[in-house]
Amino acid sequence: MEGGVESASKDVDQPLLSLRGISKNFGAVEALREVDLDVSAGEVTAIIGDNGAGKSTLIKTVSGILTPSEGQIFWCGERVALKTPREADELGISTVYQDLALCDNLDIVANMFLGHESLRYRLLDENAMEAAAKVTLNSLAVTTVRSVRSLVVSLSGGQRQSVAVARAVMRDAKLVILDEPTAALGVTQTAQVLSLIRRLADRGIAVLVISHNLNDVFTVADRLAVMHLGRMVHVGPISEFTPQTAVEIITTGTFVGAKANSTRSQPSNAGDRQ
Amino acid sequence: MTDEESSLPDESETANSGLQESQDQDVVAIDSATSVLEADDVSDGSFNAYLKGSLTKLRSGQSGLLPILVGLTALVIFFQLKNSLFLSVGNLTNLLTQASYLVMFGFAEIWVLLLGEIDLSAGYNGAIGGAVMAVLAGTYHRYPWWLAILGGLAASTAIGALVGTIVIRLRIPSFIVSLAFLLGLQGILLKVVNFDNYQGSVSVLNGPLLDLVNGNLSRTAGWILIAGAVGIYAVLVIVSDARRRRSKSEGAPFIITLVKVFGVAASGLVLLLVCNANRGIIVPLSGIPFCVPIILGFLITWKFLLTRTRFGRNIYAIGGNAEAARRAGINLGLNRVTAFALTGLTAGAAGILYTSRLGGSSAAVDGGQLVLLAVAAAVIGGVSLFGGRGKMIHALVGGMIIAIIYNGMGLIGLDAATQDIVIGLVLLAAVSVEAVSRRGSTVRA
């Protein structure tokens, strides 16, 4: 494991985030077992796996909610300890949870600046916040909201997701983690959110997506990371997978597809791939 | 922000069908994904656009104060038709002093209602504030009036902060904690009014303290007050609206700014003319009651705190979605305790007004009734009991409505029993409208 760490930190084209040997125990339950994962800027990495595979636990360790029992986290090649969500936030790791964490009773601008309001003479600077919110929404081509002063309660599911993502981007996030971003959305809105995810990556942001929906994953992801019962079974570019093989790995936990489809058969360790 | 559709049944029906239509249209508009963020109909600030925006808000259940003001006007017309004394200058001024402590208790309760909490002890807490003030200024201590007021406010603020701390630290629902305080503070009140050999009743003999509600500004002072207040308001509104337009923020067109300024100026003038007219029967009596600038001062300060500061934004955020606020890095405990302390402070001010109006404090003060009327005032005005929605002005309107109903029904000779039944029905009607509109506004989400 140490050798892998050395190579990860010396690599010129180093990944933005590297997880090495991450384990997490809840009492006797092993939620994560020696998970390795690299996430690069400008790429959409999708984590897939069945219920209980450890996807949520993994992103919680990255977003600072859970501290891993063992293992190391590297950010831009430097070892970091993410003890609180605030520490992750300060590094530029923003997580958009499935419930989006928006305040229905506030408008879009207030939600985007929640906890980070711009001040002028120690008072809220509404004009500056409104202008910045508009710039961010426009840069992400979020064009379906009628007014940035609309209350969030009046927005559709896709628009809410867009607001939550825009909030992450506005705070100069370098890594945006999305937990089931399309779970509750209709067809049109799913398409909107997926193109939004694509634009995030095109801006050079690293995106980590958890999803159950393989259609969405194959539409938007550059790399797939498949988990099974707390282990990272396989990480690779999306071209290594077909929906068929992906389902097989998710259910069986072994990378059958590699032997059948790919000549680049390799051990299931992201660090060794480089 | 009250999200009420209408207080009148026939109007709400049409509003409902309109709502349905507008929602269908909105869905189409959203799905067609046209670029409307910068579209002219929102940000060019024209009068038509503003009107259209307001209409959309109205139909989607964000009707603001409109329905409640319609209800208020209807009440005024009804009582005036039944008894022509209702709109006499004497009765109107009387109404202001009757409403003063109700409105102030309403302000107090709003701080915790916005969090989705409740403080049932605010009534007795205020009563204690008033009693402490009366004792400090009383025969045995003779502190100056301002020190007595500070003492009363400090006592109430401390009690409010204690209630909040227990709620936050022990994670007990505020309903139960404040219920315990309601019962306990009743006993404390008894102790306070029996302090210094007072025998259960403390009179206020200090001139300025009696004048808080019962005294009046001189006519000239009234003119200066109103002119100053309207002038400052006009400058602030015009400057801030101009800055909004310059930075291309969404907001009201200039004509609406003018309408706001003229509306405030006209209300100020009416208030001034009513209060400055002679209402004395034997000796001449005129002038704005002292409680009016006190109430306005609290209204403006609290509104400022709620809408212009980070603290106010945090209160709304916690009331709207506490988990979201926590994840955004907002310190929930500190903000909540501060809100409870502000409830205590404002309740103290309300209790001081109440004590001043009655000329003293005694064990007979019914803090339970006071706090329930405070909650009623806030809710009738449009504050949500679920947290996150409401403004200080709602307590002003709601408190005025309660005062008008008691005052008007007294004038037309209805007995206390009928008065209580009517107040109950009005409260029920107000929350029903809120509940229905709440359903309306979440349909699309």
Side-chain angles (χ1 to χ4, degrees):
Chain A
M1 206 37 63
E2 280 306 311
V5 168
E6 289 305 311
S7 73
S9 51
K10 278 175 191 164
D11 202 329
V12 184
D13 193 24
Q14 69 190 8
L16 184 68
L17 174 80
S18 298
L19 306 179
R20 288 292 173 271
I22 299 289
S23 298
K24 178 69 188 175
N25 304 320
F26 296 106
V29 181
E30 262 193 321
L32 295 176
R33 265 190 288 174
E34 306 220 325
V35 170
D36 294 351
L37 180 67
D38 289 326
V39 180
S40 303
E43 275 190 350
V44 179
T45 308
I47 305 180
I48 56 175
D50 210 346
N51 290 337
K55 309 184 297 283
S56 296
T57 312
L58 184 64
I59 62 159
K60 278 178 185 162
T61 61
V62 177
S63 58
I65 292 178
L66 295 176
T67 316
S69 316
E70 274 172 58
Q72 295 151 336
I73 301 175
F74 295 88
W75 181 255
C76 302
E78 282 181 33
R79 189 169 172 187
V80 288
L82 302 170
K83 287 195 216 76
T84 62
R86 185 129 269 208
E87 283 177 31
D89 190 68
E90 278 162 12
L91 287 179
I93 300 175
S94 252
T95 310
V96 179
Y97 295 95
Q98 204 169 347
D99 64 7
L100 301 183
L102 297 172
C103 292
D104 278 355
N105 59 328
L106 297 178
D107 62 28
I108 294 176
V109 177
N111 267 290
M112 286 177 68
F113 279 91
L114 197 61
H116 302 263
E117 290 86 359
S118 317
L119 299 181
R120 189 168 174 268
Y121 305 123
R122 308 194 64 196
L123 303 177
L124 297 180
D125 190 351
E126 295 288 352
N127 293 330
M129 288 194 278
E130 187 170 327
K134 275 182 184 167
V135 168
T136 306
L137 286 170
N138 277 332
S139 76
L140 294 173
V142 177
T143 52
T144 62
V145 286
R146 186 170 283 245
S147 150
V148 289
R149 289 296 176 186
S150 308
L151 297 187
V152 165
V153 70
S154 70
L155 301 182
S156 69
Q159 290 171 328
R160 285 160 179 250
Q161 189 81 46
S162 304
V163 171
V165 170
R167 169 165 68 181
V169 172
M170 202 177 47
R171 290 210 229 120
D172 284 329
K174 296 188 180 69
L175 167 64
V176 174
I177 303 171
L178 297 152
D179 187 3
E180 297 280 2
T182 56
L185 302 183
V187 177
T188 321
Q189 292 174 355
T190 299
Q192 281 173 18
V193 170
L194 291 182
S195 68
L196 179 64
I197 293 173
R198 194 63 256 165
R199 278 194 295 274
L200 285 184
D202 292 345
R203 284 173 62 146
I205 296 171
V207 185
L208 195 56
V209 184
I210 288 189
S211 185
H212 266 114
N213 187 327
L214 286 179
N215 272 337
D216 295 354
V217 167
F218 276 90
T219 311
V220 78
D222 300 306
R223 295 174 76 222
L224 276 190
V226 191
M227 295 188 72
H228 184 75
L229 299 176
R231 285 183 182 280
M232 187 61 78
V233 180
H234 187 77
V235 184
I238 191 85
S239 55
E240 287 184 7
F241 299 83
T242 65
Q244 209 70 44
T245 57
V247 170
E248 271 177 38
I249 312 170
I250 290 173
T251 47
T252 62
T254 45
F255 188 38
V256 193
K259 289 162 199 156
N261 295 347
S262 169
T263 50
R264 296 187 294 163
S265 178
Q266 52 190 252
S268 59
N269 188 316
D272 295 344
R273 272 185 62 244
Q274 295 185 340
Chain B
M1 287 302 225
T2 57
D3 292 29
E4 284 150 355
E5 269 158 22
S6 168
S7 60
L8 301 172
D10 52 337
E11 270 188 29
S12 73
E13 231 181 275
T14 50
N16 261 329
S17 59
L19 178 68
Q20 217 56 49
E21 265 171 48
S22 76
Q23 276 163 5
D24 293 346
Q25 287 164 5
D26 287 347
V27 171
V28 174
I30 288 161
D31 288 349
S32 64
T34 47
S35 174
V36 287
L37 183 62
E38 287 294 334
D40 308 37
D41 67 328
V42 270
S43 42
D44 72 343
S46 81
F47 183 64
N48 275 344
Y50 181 81
L51 216 61
K52 213 154 76 185
S54 307
L55 218 67
T56 316
K57 269 190 178 174
L58 203 68
R59 285 192 298 190
S60 66
Q62 302 169 35
S63 50
L65 276 173
L66 191 64
I68 204 73
L69 288 179
V70 170
L72 192 113
T73 316
L75 276 176
V76 168
I77 293 171
F78 174 76
F79 285 130
Q80 175 64 15
L81 289 178
K82 286 282 185 183
N83 187 333
S84 60
L85 274 180
F86 182 75
L87 283 181
S88 65
V89 286
N91 190 51
L92 285 179
T93 319
N94 193 22
L95 195 59
L96 289 178
T97 60
Q98 281 173 346
S100 63
Y101 65 90
L102 281 177
V103 170
M104 195 67 99
F105 271 119
F107 288 164
E109 204 60 45
I110 283 182
W111 282 110
V112 280
L113 289 182
L114 282 179
L115 293 173
E117 310 275 353
I118 198 163
D119 185 352
L120 293 176
S121 68
Y124 275 112
N125 188 2
I128 287 174
V132 166
M133 174 203 75
V135 168
L136 289 180
T139 350
Y140 298 94
H141 296 284
R142 296 189 178 281
Y143 284 124
W145 62 273
W146 54 270
L147 205 58
I149 289 179
L150 281 183
L153 292 180
S156 292
T157 311
I159 294 171
L162 181 63
V163 174
T165 310
I166 294 174
V167 169
I168 303 324
R169 276 293 151 92
L170 300 184
R171 300 180 190 210
I172 310 172
S174 54
F175 186 91
I176 300 298
V177 175
S178 62
L179 181 62
F181 269 79
L182 182 148
L183 299 170
L185 291 182
Q186 205 168 348
I188 306 270
L189 176 64
L190 264 175
K191 293 269 184 203
V192 176
V193 293
N194 281 300
F195 206 66
D196 294 340
N197 306 323
Y198 269 120
Q199 320 271 324
S201 152
V202 191
S203 294
V204 173
L205 304 167
N206 187 314
L209 292 182
L210 280 174
D211 279 348
L212 285 178
V213 175
N214 305 308
N216 300 300
L217 294 170
S218 75
R219 290 186 190 202
T220 327
W223 275 105
I224 295 171
L225 173 80
I226 295 295
V230 170
I232 291 171
Y233 174 79
V235 169
L236 287 180
V237 164
I238 289 173
V239 166
S240 112
D241 278 11
R243 199 159 53 223
R244 287 192 72 70
R245 274 189 292 276
R246 254 207 317 282
S247 72
K248 295 203 169 58
S249 293
E250 287 169 23
F254 186 62
I255 181 118
I256 296 295
T257 313
L258 284 185
V259 169
K260 279 195 273 187
V261 170
F262 278 110
V264 167
S267 331
L269 196 63
V270 169
L271 178 73
L272 190 65
L273 292 179
V274 166
C275 293
N276 271 4
N278 180 23
R279 56 178 178 270
I281 297 162
I282 302 161
V283 285
L285 179 66
S286 66
I288 296 178
F290 274 127
C291 62
V292 171
I294 294 173
I295 293 279
L296 289 181
F298 269 91
L299 174 69
I300 293 166
T301 315
W302 285 172
K303 178 195 159 73
F304 182 81
L305 260 185
L306 272 179
T307 57
R308 295 272 185 268
T309 69
R310 194 174 257 175
F311 167 68
R313 179 62 47 84
N314 291 349
I315 296 294
Y316 279 108
I318 294 169
N321 186 345
E323 177 58 21
R326 192 184 66 76
R327 287 200 209 141
I330 294 170
N331 182 339
L332 298 195
L334 184 65
N335 282 293
R336 278 181 168 146
V337 171
T338 311
F340 271 95
L342 285 171
T343 291
L345 171 64
T346 323
I352 286 170
L353 289 183
Y354 188 68
T355 308
S356 161
R357 188 174 140 73
L358 296 183
S361 181
S362 76
V365 176
D366 188 350
Q369 170 84 349
L370 285 175
V371 76
L372 295 184
L373 284 177
V375 175
V379 172
I380 288 174
V383 178
S384 166
L385 278 177
F386 302 101
R389 294 188 310 168
K391 298 174 176 179
M392 282 295 159
I393 189 101
H394 292 154
L396 181 72
V397 180
M400 288 298 290
I401 283 186
I402 293 179
I404 283 174
I405 292 173
Y406 276 133
N407 176 295
M409 286 194 299
L411 273 183
I412 61 178
L414 292 175
D415 57 11
T418 319
Q419 293 183 12
D420 286 341
I421 293 171
V422 172
I423 292 285
L425 289 176
V426 168
L427 176 59
L428 198 58
V431 283
S432 306
V433 171
E434 208 247 339
V436 169
S437 77
R438 205 177 155 79
R439 222 174 296 149
S441 68
T442 48
V443 164
R444 220 193 309 166

